[in-house]
Amino acid sequence: MEATATDFGIKQALIQLGVKDINEGTSTGANFFSNGDILESYSPVDGKLIGKVKTTTKDDYEKVMDVATKAFKTWRTTPAPQRGEIVRQFGDKLREKKQALGKLVSYEMGKSLQEGLGEVQEMIDICDFAVGLSRQLHGLTMHSERPGHRMYEQYHPLGVVGIISAFNFPVAVWSWNTALSWICGDVCVWKPSEKAPLCGIACQNIAAEVFAKNKLPEGISCLINGDYRVGEFMTKDTRVPLISATGSTRMGKIVAQEVAGRLGKSLLELGGNNAIIVTPDADIKMTVIGAVFGAVGTAGQRCTSTRRLIIHESIYDKVKTAVTDAYKQLRIGNPLDETNHVGPLIDTDAVKMYQKALSSVVEEGGTILVEGGVLSGEGYESGCYVKPAIAEAKPDFKIVQHETFAPVLYLLKYSGNVENAIEIQNGVVQGLSSAIMTNNLREAELFLSVQGSDCGIANVNIGTSGAEIGGAFGGEKETGGGRESGSDAWKVYMRRQTNTINYTTELPLAQGIKFDL
């Protein structure tokens, strides 16, 4: 790896994380290296080359799978609480390296340092959750209709879990899947985004340190690098019973069809077109905080970013003024400088999509309230910095119906009761996160009822962005239906088995069937 950045301690962070070898990027330290093309990682912060890795070839992948499948045979027989102990140690290592990994996330992806550190904290939190869960992997006992019989169900590990993650959360989403997979007895093969490969190598190095200390097989956690073609190695592989994929809806449909074609399982976390409903009973100050962070956090590149603000006509002008005034206070610049609120988009392709969205909303008859644009000059040399924009629009605009993965917030007006606002919110194909700002108990309860939000996440008096580890994370409709992280999301990483035990000397059949010999 060739490190070029020295500002804000990035070089020191890379050294601490062990990101130093161009050949890293295949597994946890196997005796072979990736032999594919060179993949270069440039920072959107300053446009500089951070490092290079080699991509994974098909032959490399076969070696990885051989290591992983062999490791599974050992790992699955390790008692779950002992697997939890390994996850605990991994969480402790993350605590030690939180500052370094948070800086790398911020520099390679472009999110603010606070968000980068927050992402590592998510990794620590899911480890804590998984450690407790390792002693609670439960089944059920059921009464049998046959005398002298006992029925119960239990869960067994699946095997190799394939993880495909996106650039916007280059480490946290991997950890959601990995921590739960590990305590369930699975092993993991991870393809991080080709836009943030060094974050993947850093995580793999941390895990390898823990495995080596405990004399565990390296294949419990494996890494492959490259573009979608490397991901296809896993999606087509019958040795990988579960593919957990995070990314665009377009990508998710391709993965789902490929995996379903071989009767595998998919866990999909796809696009979001998230809205906050603002009713006449809303606290305006809270609304502004929730809406602005939701819209500009991670430069609008979160799957839970706030895209639409649905405001009642009676308070529309008041809310519009408050939000547009708040945008005047935003500071855009190097995300490692904690005085800045907004960092860059991931690359210049994302900038083009941002510009296209602003052009589209005007072409459809919308009005730009807070002007966007690409920033240039000192500090913006990467060409990835843009101004967060606000546009007045209508719910049926094509651009509003699509996910705009950039800091563009659409203001929509509704009249009448809250049911009309809910209809607007639900009137898109995505169904990830949603929120309502109201102090009216009836409105809040209706929003959370079967007649309310059709999203996987529905919040009251907080924004759409940000989720706690304890709850299951995921969405409906074209968001994919997957659930990760908390609650009983662990069950997707295991196979369910129903068992019946006959402890008599007779063999009665179910449903009273007679079969005498």
Side-chain angles (χ1 to χ4, degrees):
M1 197 221 70
E2 300 174 10
T4 58
T6 56
D7 292 344
F8 300 96
I10 289 296
K11 187 173 182 179
Q12 291 76 10
L14 291 170
I15 293 171
Q16 186 178 349
L17 295 167
V19 183
K20 59 182 183 296
D21 190 336
I22 193 173
N23 286 319
E24 292 196 61
T26 298
S27 77
T28 60
N31 295 321
F32 54 86
F33 300 113
S34 292
N35 295 294
D37 297 332
I38 297 296
L39 176 62
E40 297 180 330
S41 178
Y42 289 89
S43 172
V45 174
D46 54 19
K48 294 180 179 179
L49 175 69
I50 315 173
K52 304 175 183 179
V53 299
K54 286 186 178 179
T55 57
T56 303
T57 67
K58 190 64 167 67
D59 286 343
D60 296 331
Y61 174 76
E62 289 301 323
K63 293 176 183 177
V64 167
M65 285 301 299
D66 182 60
V67 171
T69 52
K70 287 178 180 176
F72 174 60
K73 293 178 181 179
T74 300
W75 188 238
R76 68 183 177 181
T77 61
T78 304
Q82 292 183 26
R83 299 194 294 254
E85 167 59 18
I86 301 304
V87 174
R88 184 195 66 78
Q89 293 180 32
F90 180 62
D92 285 347
K93 280 294 177 185
L94 289 171
R95 286 178 170 89
E96 292 177 19
K97 299 178 185 290
K98 178 179 176 179
Q99 195 71 22
L101 185 55
K103 283 184 178 180
L104 177 57
V105 168
S106 179
Y107 187 61
E108 188 171 33
M109 185 269 147
K111 63 175 58 177
S112 73
L113 179 57
Q114 281 300 307
E115 290 181 87
L117 294 172
E119 187 168 342
V120 181
Q121 186 61 49
E122 275 194 60
M123 302 175 76
I124 295 168
D125 292 345
I126 194 62
C127 285
D128 288 350
F129 179 88
V131 171
L133 186 61
S134 68
R135 294 182 180 270
Q136 301 178 67
L137 298 177
H138 59 271
L140 296 173
T141 298
M142 297 150 283
H143 290 281
S144 172
E145 67 184 57
R146 290 168 284 187
H149 286 58
R150 180 167 70 89
M151 294 177 63
Y152 69 97
E153 65 179 23
Q154 59 181 330
Y155 288 84
H156 295 302
L158 284 172
V160 178
V161 173
I163 302 167
I164 301 172
S165 63
F167 73 85
N168 58 336
F169 280 86
V171 298
V173 172
W174 167 74
S175 71
W176 292 357
N177 287 275
T178 298
L180 296 190
S181 294
W182 284 347
I183 63 102
C184 289
D186 299 316
V187 300
C188 299
V189 177
W190 175 29
K191 192 202 86 65
S193 170
E194 61 271 28
K195 297 180 181 181
L198 302 183
C199 285
I201 290 174
C203 291
Q204 197 69 355
N205 288 342
I206 297 170
E209 192 175 342
V210 174
F211 296 144
K213 177 183 176 182
N214 290 274
K215 297 180 172 57
L216 287 168
E218 61 187 7
I220 295 170
S221 181
C222 295
L223 186 73
I224 57 177
N225 268 315
D227 60 16
Y228 72 94
R229 290 168 292 188
V230 174
E232 286 178 349
F233 295 160
M234 291 195 296
T235 59
K236 296 179 178 180
D237 193 341
T238 57
R239 295 168 296 181
V240 184
L242 172 66
I243 295 290
S244 176
T246 302
S248 68
T249 297
R250 181 192 62 80
M251 178 276 291
K253 289 180 178 180
I254 295 171
V255 169
Q257 290 175 15
E258 190 67 55
V259 176
R262 60 176 177 85
L263 298 182
K265 298 171 64 177
S266 296
L267 193 169
L268 302 174
E269 297 290 356
L270 310 176
N273 193 351
N274 316 294
I276 298 177
I277 294 172
V278 188
T279 80
D281 289 309
D283 183 313
I284 303 301
K285 183 178 179 180
M286 288 176 59
T287 298
V288 170
I289 295 172
V292 174
F293 175 73
V296 308
T298 322
Q301 296 172 115
R302 292 187 176 209
C303 52
T304 55
S305 290
T306 305
R307 313 289 179 199
R308 299 172 294 149
L309 202 58
I310 305 169
I311 311 165
H312 192 269
E313 60 182 0
S314 65
I315 57 168
Y316 182 84
D317 289 338
K318 184 177 182 180
V319 173
K320 178 174 73 173
T321 299
V323 173
T324 53
D325 284 349
Y327 268 52
K328 297 174 184 177
Q329 303 173 48
L330 294 176
R331 292 184 294 274
I332 308 165
N334 190 322
L336 291 163
D337 181 345
E338 295 189 66
T339 64
N340 291 323
H341 299 105
V342 184
L345 292 175
I346 186 65
D347 54 27
T348 53
D349 287 339
V351 172
K352 292 174 184 175
M353 288 190 289
Y354 157 85
Q355 293 173 311
K356 184 177 179 180
L358 290 177
S359 297
S360 296
V361 74
V362 172
E363 290 170 5
E364 292 192 69
T367 303
I368 302 296
L369 294 176
V370 174
E371 187 176 350
V374 182
L375 297 171
S376 60
E378 185 177 355
Y380 304 122
E381 290 87 355
S382 69
C384 297
Y385 290 87
V386 300
K387 300 176 184 177
I390 301 177
E392 287 184 299
K394 293 184 179 180
D396 60 351
F397 282 8
K398 289 182 180 179
I399 190 61
V400 175
Q401 292 287 313
H402 288 82
E403 179 184 37
T404 301
F405 219 60
V408 179
L409 178 63
Y410 303 110
L411 302 192
L412 312 175
K413 185 185 296 185
Y414 82 95
S415 58
N417 56 33
V418 74
E419 285 92 337
N420 296 333
I422 293 172
E423 184 177 356
I424 293 171
Q425 181 214 271
N426 293 346
V428 296
V429 296
Q430 307 86 358
L432 179 52
S433 187
S434 59
I436 188 170
M437 293 292 183
T438 182
N439 289 321
N440 184 311
L441 178 62
R442 291 177 176 174
E443 289 180 336
E445 289 294 336
L446 179 63
F447 180 74
L448 300 176
S449 76
V450 69
Q451 303 163 266
S453 171
D454 64 2
C455 296
I457 299 169
N459 299 326
V460 176
N461 290 331
I462 62 172
T464 63
S465 188
E468 295 183 29
I469 287 303
F473 179 89
E476 301 302 323
K477 301 190 291 186
E478 288 198 0
T479 300
R483 291 297 185 276
E484 295 172 324
S485 190
S487 185
D488 64 349
W490 61 272
K491 292 181 179 180
V492 76
Y493 304 95
M494 306 194 81
R495 58 181 178 89
R496 186 193 306 237
Q497 184 181 80
T498 300
N499 308 111
T500 304
I501 299 173
N502 177 3
Y503 55 90
T504 73
T505 59
E506 303 293 329
L507 189 59
L509 301 177
Q511 293 83 48
I513 294 173
K514 301 296 183 181
F515 187 77
D516 297 323
L517 293 176

